[in-house]
Amino acid sequence: MLYLYHNDMSVCAQKVRMVLAHKELDWEGSNLNLRAGEQFAPDFLKVSPKGLVPVLVHDDAVILESNAIVQYLDEVFPESPLMSPNAVERAQIRGWLIRLDAGLHEQLAVISFCVAFRHQLLQRHATSESLQVFFEKISDPSRRTVMEDIVTNGLESPRLRLAALAYKKLIGDMATALADSEWLVGGEISLADFAMLPYIERLEQLQLSGWWAAYPQLDQWLARLRTTQAYLVGINEWSNPSYIQLMNDSGAEAWPHMKALLG
Ligand SMILES: N[C@@H](CCC(=O)N[C@@H](CS)C(=O)NCC(=O)O)C(=O)O
């Protein structure tokens, strides 16, 4: 049996749900409310010591880290494969996955929180004492430092410009990969496409699609992915309208600032 601890709008959980849907696997799960701090519940910390989703439990095996989870699923359930039969292409697919763990995931968190999600936390924790209690629950000191900065400083965080520049590079690389190809690697949809989709769609929800206005191939790629069963079942069905509204509204307000960051 497959059991997933996840969150409706978490980008790494979206990636895992897309793979589950692509492979038409049945699963059960818990959708943790991350703003309410459900990831800090002692029972969940026993499963995920850093208090992070997603976590996959397959029979007795507990698998942490979304990139490990999607590669595990692709190995154990080989129907509708998401890794290429070609070794060079497999290396390229892994390269896209590594890019997320080598910084892009954190950079997306920086952008999402500076523009939108910090407002949810500031509303929930109206006093600085309450906010401090929230930060102290984040066990990883480096993650805690980043969260304190982005929630407190928002658009003024120095990390925001660095995150925007990393995205500028990513968008250029994706545009190159998609210049003459429907998918990021080779001629078939792969884990690379499922991995990157949430990281681009989130920018669109934050009203940042102007960052790739010069590259229509990115919008075409997004549109193609959105017709897949994986997207419809793995992302669309879990979409949380209040999060989308917040991202749209605060993204529109932040756009002049965000545009200037790359100017
Ligand atoms: N490298 C991890 C990152 C996991 C991660 O950052 N998860 C976020 C949601 S996207 C989370 O659980 N956040 C909990 C929190 O913010 O306290 C993975 O790929 O699974």
Side-chain angles (χ1 to χ4, degrees), residues 40 50 52 106 113 121 131-153 159:
F40 304 124
K50 285 191 182 170
L52 297 175
E106 184 174 299
F113 274 86
L121 283 173
L131 201 54
Q132 208 49 43
V133 170
F134 177 84
F135 290 142
E136 276 162 19
K137 287 186 184 157
I138 303 172
S139 62
D140 177 341
S142 135
R143 214 180 128 68
R144 187 166 61 235
T145 308
V146 174
M147 279 297 275
E148 285 193 24
D149 169 38
I150 58 186
V151 172
T152 311
N153 299 316
R159 286 186 168 84

Side-chain angles (χ1 to χ4, degrees), residues 19-190:
V19 173
L20 289 164
H22 176 82
K23 290 180 176 280
E24 297 184 17
L25 296 169
D26 289 328
W27 58 279
E28 289 176 19
S30 311
N31 176 6
L32 275 66
N33 183 338
L34 302 178
R35 295 301 168 266
E38 288 180 3
Q39 69 275 34
F40 304 124
D43 278 353
F44 181 63
L45 289 176
K46 281 185 205 146
V47 183
S48 176
K50 285 191 182 170
L52 297 175
V53 293
V55 178
L56 180 75
V57 183
H58 183 203
D59 300 329
D60 294 333
V62 177
I63 302 165
L64 304 174
E65 291 294 332
S66 59
N67 283 336
I69 295 172
V70 291
Q71 291 179 79
Y72 172 82
L73 287 172
D74 199 53
E75 270 179 42
V76 175
F77 302 99
E79 277 291 294
S80 310
L82 285 165
M83 284 299 260
S84 166
N86 175 294
V88 172
E89 290 181 2
R90 282 201 299 282
Q92 289 170 342
I93 293 169
R94 291 193 195 99
W96 287 104
L97 300 183
I98 287 168
R99 196 158 178 166
L100 300 179
D101 293 330
L104 196 82
H105 178 72
E106 184 174 299
Q107 281 136 7
L108 181 71
V110 167
I111 295 173
S112 305
F113 274 86
C114 286
V115 172
F117 295 157
R118 68 187 286 261
H119 299 298
Q120 294 170 318
L121 283 173
L122 292 172
Q123 215 167 32
R124 211 172 252 278
H125 301 282
T127 64
S128 57
E129 288 78 16
S130 162
L131 201 54
Q132 208 49 43
V133 170
F134 177 84
F135 290 142
E136 276 162 19
K137 287 186 184 157
I138 303 172
S139 62
D140 177 341
S142 135
R143 214 180 128 68
R144 187 166 61 235
T145 308
V146 174
M147 279 297 275
E148 285 193 24
D149 169 38
I150 58 186
V151 172
T152 311
N153 299 316
L155 297 180
E156 302 311 318
S157 162
R159 286 186 168 84
L160 185 57
R161 183 172 150 74
L162 297 176
L165 289 174
Y167 252 103
K168 184 177 182 177
K169 172 87 176 79
L170 174 84
I171 288 167
D173 292 347
M174 289 183 71
T176 303
L178 294 169
D180 325 293
S181 172
E182 291 199 341
W183 307 111
L184 284 172
V185 177
E188 302 288 335
I189 198 165
S190 75

